[in-house]
Amino acid sequence: MLMNNYLKLIRPYDFGRKLSKNAPSIYLQSQIHGNETLSTLVLHNLINRLSLLESSSFSGAIRIVPRANPFAWNSYLYSRHGVFNLTTGENWNRIFDWDCVAKFPKKNTAPSTLISYLNQKISSENNTTKLLQYYLLSLSIGYNHIVDVHTPENGIPHLYCPIMTDKIPTFDIKYVIEYQKEVINTFDDAHNRINQYYDKLNKNNAITIELDSNIPASQELVENWTKIFMNEFKKIGVIKNDLNSKAIIQDDIKIGKVRDFQTPVSGIQKHFFNLGKVVPNNSPLFSILPFDLKNEIIIKTTSDCIPICLRKDTIVHPGAWVVRVFDIQC
């Protein structure tokens, strides 16, 4: 299939008013990693829900792209690997470096100029990774809130942002990870660098959120997240808030950083924790039994922490992260 045909599968669904500086707006996408299905189910359910609303219910613009990466989805269908580009080994969510500042050094450059530039790049690009990067950025530049929705391999809800402010929607997620000035080339990171540089975008923000994956996806879970998203739309003002609805009030947010615990050898892993439960300092976190079945290696915590995500694979290889923890002391 030709690359342009792939791009036609990346369909944006638009609701509410047209994007303008005078009305609030939000962009949401899912499945940049092809194997992350709950996020896509939730966004499809949101599309169905928003389609039932009268035009008068909207006070801003909403754009939803439920399948942001058909390359990764196709890879997942046929190889069961939707996180990486199989030909290059690139993580699909680490491809968003950008060169807009080099092309447009003036900070008062209009968003429409950036979008036109990206569209020009798309028309002449042959590299699939760059094509995907340019196209998704072109769809999303200019929105007040840009949300990349993921489903971790096996984890509990958490949120990534450069720094937490009262302008960032939380979607009822209590674990907020700040990556501050670190350049990680994720979709939200690229947007935050763009937003910080260009004056006409500096009031916008971009985040990544991770939904539940430690429990099976179900209609009930999808409906629960749909309700949370709809409430958040009302809080930021893109949907009018009727008197009978109750916006989510969140007062238990924990802000910190994460650390990945890796395995030094290949072997079979065993966990000694529960996701979301505190593991005290110097406690066993997981073990690796090498394939020679000798000298089991036990990895311990180095501070009080809360495991939020783990590698589901029984067999792991050297250097692979096994557990991602939220460091309580950060």
Side-chain angles (χ1 to χ4, degrees):
M1 186 179 290
L2 296 174
M3 287 183 289
N4 284 338
N5 289 335
Y6 272 109
L7 290 187
K8 291 178 182 178
L9 298 176
I10 305 177
R11 180 183 173 184
Y13 294 79
D14 291 312
F15 302 93
R17 299 181 181 181
K18 289 185 177 180
L19 187 65
S20 72
K21 65 178 181 180
N22 297 320
S25 59
I26 185 167
Y27 170 93
L28 304 103
Q29 71 174 31
S30 64
Q31 216 169 50
I32 193 71
H33 290 150
N35 64 335
E36 298 179 356
T37 51
L38 175 62
S39 54
T40 305
L41 291 172
V42 171
L43 293 199
H44 273 299
N45 204 42
L46 277 172
I47 291 167
N48 294 336
R49 187 69 54 84
L50 293 170
S51 299
L52 298 176
L53 298 181
E54 299 289 340
S55 58
S56 59
S57 300
F58 297 93
S59 51
I62 301 173
R63 171 169 282 182
I64 298 177
V65 179
R67 180 160 292 158
N69 190 344
F71 308 105
W73 171 241
N74 192 58
S75 174
Y76 179 58
L77 280 179
Y78 292 102
S79 70
R80 314 308 293 170
H81 293 284
V83 176
F84 297 95
N85 182 332
L86 291 181
T87 60
T88 65
E90 289 177 297
N91 183 334
W92 286 117
N93 197 32
R94 297 296 186 275
I95 65 173
F96 295 95
D97 56 332
W98 56 283
D99 59 359
C100 292
V101 170
K103 181 69 176 180
F104 302 105
K106 293 184 179 180
K107 298 190 71 173
N108 62 350
T109 301
S112 58
T113 302
L114 300 178
I115 294 172
S116 295
Y117 167 67
L118 291 168
N119 286 332
Q120 291 173 10
K121 299 282 282 187
I122 291 166
S123 64
S124 60
E125 184 58 63
N126 292 317
N127 179 278
T128 56
T129 298
K130 288 294 183 183
L131 193 65
L132 182 67
Q133 173 196 3
Y134 296 145
Y135 191 59
L136 291 179
L137 288 174
S138 73
L139 289 178
S140 51
I141 282 179
Y143 284 81
N144 301 145
H145 305 281
I146 296 164
V147 186
D148 194 13
V149 190
H150 286 249
T151 311
E153 186 169 2
N154 193 0
I156 60 176
H158 49 286
L159 181 156
Y160 294 89
C161 64
I163 188 167
M164 186 62 188
T165 72
D166 59 2
K167 303 298 183 183
I168 290 179
T170 59
F171 297 92
D172 202 25
I173 294 173
K174 69 177 182 179
Y175 295 114
V176 174
I177 295 106
E178 293 183 333
Y179 55 84
Q180 296 180 354
K181 295 182 179 180
E182 184 180 1
V183 176
I184 52 180
N185 289 334
T186 59
F187 183 74
D188 65 308
D189 170 46
H191 266 293
N192 281 310
R193 283 182 279 141
I194 293 171
N195 295 344
Q196 290 166 10
Y197 185 81
Y198 294 106
D199 294 336
K200 295 183 179 181
L201 293 171
N202 62 18
K203 293 183 180 179
N204 300 346
N205 62 69
I207 63 174
T208 289
I209 62 175
E210 305 267 3
L211 307 185
D212 311 70
S213 58
N214 61 316
I215 54 178
S218 64
Q219 185 69 37
E220 181 180 6
L221 187 60
V222 171
E223 289 293 341
N224 181 61
W225 277 110
T226 301
K227 180 179 179 181
I228 290 171
F229 275 69
M230 292 293 288
N231 271 298
E232 203 69 52
F233 292 164
K234 294 173 183 178
K235 287 171 64 178
I236 67 176
V238 292
I239 293 179
K240 294 178 181 178
N241 196 356
D242 60 82
L243 296 177
N244 294 324
S245 65
K246 294 183 179 180
I248 297 169
I249 299 175
Q250 194 169 350
D251 56 5
D252 60 344
I253 293 176
K254 299 181 185 299
I255 301 173
K257 293 186 178 297
V258 291
R259 286 182 298 151
D260 291 340
F261 283 81
Q262 300 172 325
T263 171
V265 299
S266 58
I268 302 169
Q269 63 167 315
K270 179 181 178 181
H271 302 141
F272 303 109
F273 60 84
N274 292 314
L275 290 171
K277 303 295 184 181
V278 176
V279 180
N281 182 30
N282 203 37
S283 297
L285 193 59
F286 65 90
S287 68
I288 301 294
L289 180 62
F291 293 128
D292 63 8
L293 303 181
K294 299 177 181 179
N295 301 322
E296 182 178 37
I297 299 172
I298 296 178
I299 306 298
K300 295 184 177 182
T301 59
T302 55
S303 65
D304 291 353
C305 62
I306 299 174
I308 59 173
C309 191
L310 61 89
R311 186 77 69 187
K312 288 191 294 186
D313 297 334
T314 301
I315 297 173
V316 293
H317 58 82
W321 71 267
V322 176
V323 184
R324 176 164 295 170
V325 304
F326 185 91
D327 196 330
I328 296 175
Q329 298 189 11
C330 288

